[in-house]
Amino acid sequence: MYSVLLVDDESIELETMEHYVPWEQAGFRIAGTARNGKEALGKMKELKPDIIVTDVRMPIMDGLEFGRRAKQADKSVKIIYLSGHNEFQYIKSALQIEAAGYVLKPIDMEELLALLYKVKKKCEDEQLASAGGGWLLEKLLLRIVREPNPERQLEWIRQWEMRADGFSAGQPYSAAYWTFEPPAFGGRQEAGGMPSASGPGSVSGSSSGSDIAARAAELLRPILAQRLDAQVVLETGINTLFILFQGKTQQTDSAYWELLREELLAELGQAVEATVGLSGPYRGYRLLKEAFEDSQRCNEEKWYRQTGAVIVPGMLKETSVSDPGAEPASAGLISAIQSHDTERAEHLLADWFSGLRNRRMERRSVLRGVIQLLTTLEQHFASLLAGPERGHLLADHWRELSSMPSLAHYHAYTLRFCMELLRAAGDREQDRNQTVASQIAKLLDEKYHLPVTVEDIAKEVYLSPNYVRTIFKEKTGETILDYLTRIRMNHASELLRDRSLKVREIAHRVGYENVSYFCSVFQKHKGSTPNEYRKLHL
């Protein structure tokens, strides 16, 4: 990633640029910030940024003067100017000191990102022009496999052909796509084994994926240089390596790479799984991207694996899209949790995920099924989600699960959630007031579509309205109104998935006569209007 120094005297502008521009997604990282040109010059010496984004009008030292001095200190640094003034003299002055670009405030995000991509390409071209050896081959190969434009890709391939020392154009080559993931259950698990009910290990791992990938590349380069005829090792992203290689016939077999995989894992000495997708042999450099995609597809087969492996094209099978059966699974889990039966909950989850694996359910279907199961559990055991448990259990499951690499990791995540529910249920079993709060929650769950009042609820549980309010807030962490609103919004979210229902009908079904008020409440809780939510989730 290219490093960026942000300079602006307006703290709000500076914070907006730092936190709301998708820098990492675009291939950049923020090295630091400064409030004026003088401060920025001092930080330049320490941070050595590749790119500077600076305001023009600032106190102490303005952006143009800072730009002149910055170019004197580092001729290669690229400077993008920002200004709220569309005045010719500013643009002319900026161009005279070799500005990389000029953006007017308020900043248009698309315009800024387009300019950043142009600046990034210029940085890359300059690096390629001054580079040589293995580093140049790595950069060229990375451009070939990432380039969407066929004509541009051919240009990178032609440059590869001229510089690919060690590779023989007449020999076949293969590709290996490596990914590194923390074990789903905190340690290696034999195929078909049952995870421990005492609590699965973290699915985030103790070391960052980028550190593991960098360490793996460092270990693999000298090993492969000795054993293969030719090789290039690329760090293609967090957790991932791509290896292009030529070697003897036996070195393209899965058994060879399985031994190498085990050797690397022993050297890494960390609790991590490695999966290798191995392409078939290819001839002709025009197929470099196809080899990359072939190995990547094989690696994605890890979705159905419980541990890392070496996967070749012949192992790939058709996937299915069908109902994952979340409703019966959640009903069984509710029963097991209510009866405090940990072993039964473990077995129910193991059987369900085993069935998904055997049916080769594709990822999106499984994700929807797991979200449905977790949401059902949350709604049923809402009274447990109070105090410390509330912050621990209520999570953005969609965001958490979307980044997980395998069914085994989904299994571990769901199992951990159920174990926490079991623990919370056990802790509160003897609490008398909790029974009342649970009864209130059940009433609200059943009558959310009606004009329910606290007085109505108080009559149902034979207590005063004030006492009902106090108990419910104490045991759930929410007011009755907040709880009722959340339940209504969750049901509304589900109903919005049915395109045949109008927003007005949905509002009425969840207890709102005033459609405008319903839309306002929905946007406050879900961050979007009902129609926007429907577009995003369908």
Side-chain angles (χ1 to χ4, degrees):
M1 289 188 176
Y2 291 96
S3 59
V4 180
L5 174 63
L6 301 176
V7 190
D8 199 314
D9 63 312
E10 294 288 341
S11 58
I12 294 177
E13 295 279 357
L14 197 60
E15 184 178 344
T16 300
M17 280 196 296
E18 183 178 6
H19 296 291
Y20 293 101
V21 176
W23 297 105
E24 290 193 6
Q25 182 182 335
F28 303 92
R29 65 175 180 84
I30 300 300
T33 61
R35 298 292 298 275
N36 57 66
K38 184 177 180 181
E39 181 185 351
L41 278 177
K43 290 197 173 184
M44 268 191 71
K45 297 177 183 178
E46 173 192 352
L47 303 174
K48 295 181 172 54
D50 300 301
I51 299 164
I52 296 170
V53 180
T54 180
D55 192 16
V56 171
R57 289 194 173 186
M58 296 183 294
I60 303 177
M61 181 188 295
D62 68 22
L64 296 177
E65 177 61 24
F66 162 60
R68 293 188 188 94
R69 298 194 185 187
K71 277 291 187 180
Q72 290 172 356
D74 182 357
K75 291 183 179 180
S76 66
V77 71
K78 305 295 182 289
I79 304 177
I80 295 174
Y81 287 99
L82 308 173
S83 176
H85 305 272
N86 188 10
E87 298 178 7
F88 177 73
Q89 62 264 33
Y90 287 107
I91 300 173
K92 183 178 179 182
S93 299
L95 293 176
Q96 286 175 344
I97 52 176
E98 302 177 30
Y102 192 99
V103 179
L104 290 175
K105 293 182 178 181
I107 296 170
D108 182 290
M109 189 71 75
E110 290 187 7
E111 181 184 357
L112 176 60
L113 287 173
L115 179 55
L116 284 167
Y117 281 122
K118 288 181 181 179
V119 174
K120 180 182 176 183
K121 184 180 180 304
K122 188 171 182 180
C123 291
E124 290 174 343
D125 289 341
E126 289 177 0
Q127 285 186 337
L128 282 176
S130 63
W135 188 90
L136 177 58
L137 273 187
E138 290 180 16
K139 290 297 179 184
L140 282 172
L141 184 57
L142 191 60
R143 288 191 171 191
I144 290 167
V145 301
R146 287 183 173 174
E147 179 57 61
N149 185 300
E151 292 182 2
R152 188 68 174 161
Q153 186 187 109
L154 283 176
E155 175 58 33
W156 297 129
I157 290 172
R158 282 191 286 269
Q159 292 193 37
W160 166 273
E161 289 173 336
M162 292 186 292
R163 295 173 170 86
D165 295 336
F167 281 84
S168 174
Q171 296 290 330
Y173 58 84
S174 295
Y177 190 91
W178 292 64
T179 54
F180 301 91
E181 299 91 21
F185 295 99
R188 295 206 188 184
Q189 177 192 352
E190 294 299 323
M194 171 81 72
S196 169
S198 60
S202 169
V203 295
S204 61
S206 57
S207 300
S208 70
S210 57
D211 288 341
I212 294 174
R215 176 64 176 150
E218 182 184 339
L219 291 168
L220 282 171
R221 284 191 179 101
I223 294 173
L224 297 178
Q226 290 181 351
R227 301 180 187 179
L228 299 173
D229 296 337
Q231 49 81 31
V232 175
V233 180
L234 291 180
E235 295 174 50
T236 51
I238 295 176
N239 298 336
T240 64
L241 293 178
F242 173 59
I243 300 173
L244 187 76
F245 66 94
Q246 287 180 330
K248 300 177 179 62
T249 303
Q250 64 269 27
Q251 292 171 328
T252 62
D253 291 341
S254 60
Y256 178 88
W257 287 85
E258 179 59 41
L259 289 173
L260 181 62
R261 189 183 77 91
E262 293 293 340
E263 183 180 344
L264 177 64
L265 288 173
E267 286 290 329
L268 285 172
Q270 292 178 266
V272 64
E273 292 292 355
T275 303
V276 184
L278 198 61
S279 80
Y282 283 80
R283 287 182 184 271
Y285 293 143
R286 292 194 175 208
L287 298 176
L288 284 172
K289 188 168 184 177
E290 282 78 357
F292 170 80
E293 292 173 345
D294 191 9
S295 63
Q296 195 174 43
R297 277 191 298 272
C298 289
N299 184 279
E300 289 169 356
E301 174 70 11
K302 67 174 176 279
W303 169 250
Y304 299 103
R305 304 277 172 148
Q306 291 178 291
T307 60
V310 176
I311 303 168
V312 297
M315 296 179 181
L316 305 187
K317 299 176 183 178
E318 292 294 323
T319 60
S320 68
V321 180
S322 59
D323 182 3
E327 288 186 12
S330 57
L333 285 168
I334 287 170
S335 175
I337 293 168
Q338 286 176 332
S339 59
H340 309 287
D341 192 337
T342 297
E343 186 175 353
R344 184 180 171 214
E346 288 179 337
H347 279 283
L348 283 168
L349 276 179
D351 288 345
W352 189 56
F353 278 99
S354 178
L356 297 178
R357 184 176 291 107
N358 293 337
R359 290 156 61 195
R360 292 186 63 81
M361 292 286 295
E362 58 94 24
R363 187 186 190 99
R364 286 175 297 178
S365 297
V366 174
L367 179 58
R368 285 195 295 269
V370 174
I371 294 293
Q372 182 184 346
L373 183 146
L374 293 170
T375 302
T376 301
L377 292 177
E378 278 185 349
Q379 291 175 350
H380 190 89
F381 294 105
S383 60
L384 293 177
L385 307 181
E389 290 86 0
R390 178 177 177 79
H392 189 62
L393 288 172
L394 284 178
D396 186 345
H397 299 305
W398 192 282
R399 179 179 60 81
E400 294 286 341
L401 291 165
S402 294
S403 62
M404 292 182 185
S406 74
L407 266 169
H409 288 83
Y410 278 32
H411 184 178
Y413 183 91
T414 310
L415 178 61
R416 184 170 63 251
F417 183 81
C418 290
M419 293 303 105
E420 292 295 339
L421 281 178
L422 278 159
R423 182 190 62 78
D427 289 346
R428 301 194 178 193
E429 187 176 12
Q430 304 302 320
D431 190 328
R432 289 178 299 172
N433 285 344
Q434 185 61 42
T435 302
V436 175
S438 298
Q439 190 177 354
I440 294 169
K442 185 179 179 183
L443 285 169
L444 294 172
D445 290 343
E446 293 171 350
K447 299 184 177 182
Y448 69 90
H449 57 292
L450 301 173
V452 183
T453 67
V454 175
E455 286 72 22
D456 294 334
I457 294 169
K459 290 176 183 177
E460 292 276 358
V461 295
Y462 306 102
L463 294 170
S464 71
N466 283 338
Y467 194 52
V468 163
R469 291 189 185 94
T470 302
I471 288 177
F472 193 85
K473 180 66 182 296
E474 176 186 332
K475 296 304 175 185
T476 68
E478 291 181 292
T479 65
I480 289 176
L481 176 60
D482 288 342
Y483 180 88
L484 178 60
T485 302
R486 181 165 61 82
I487 294 299
R488 285 173 167 174
M489 293 304 105
N490 287 339
H491 282 286
S493 299
E494 291 299 317
L495 291 172
L496 282 166
R497 297 178 185 276
D498 186 352
R499 287 187 176 275
S500 67
L501 294 175
K502 296 180 180 179
V503 172
R504 179 183 299 277
E505 293 176 85
I506 293 171
H508 293 165
R509 287 195 186 190
V510 297
Y512 291 88
E513 290 299 319
N514 187 314
V515 179
S516 296
Y517 180 66
F518 162 74
C519 292
S520 174
V521 174
F522 188 95
Q523 184 168 19
K524 179 180 177 182
H525 278 259
K526 298 296 182 179
S528 60
T529 67
N531 283 324
E532 289 171 347
Y533 185 92
R534 174 172 271 168
K535 291 177 183 177
L536 285 171
H537 293 273
L538 288 181

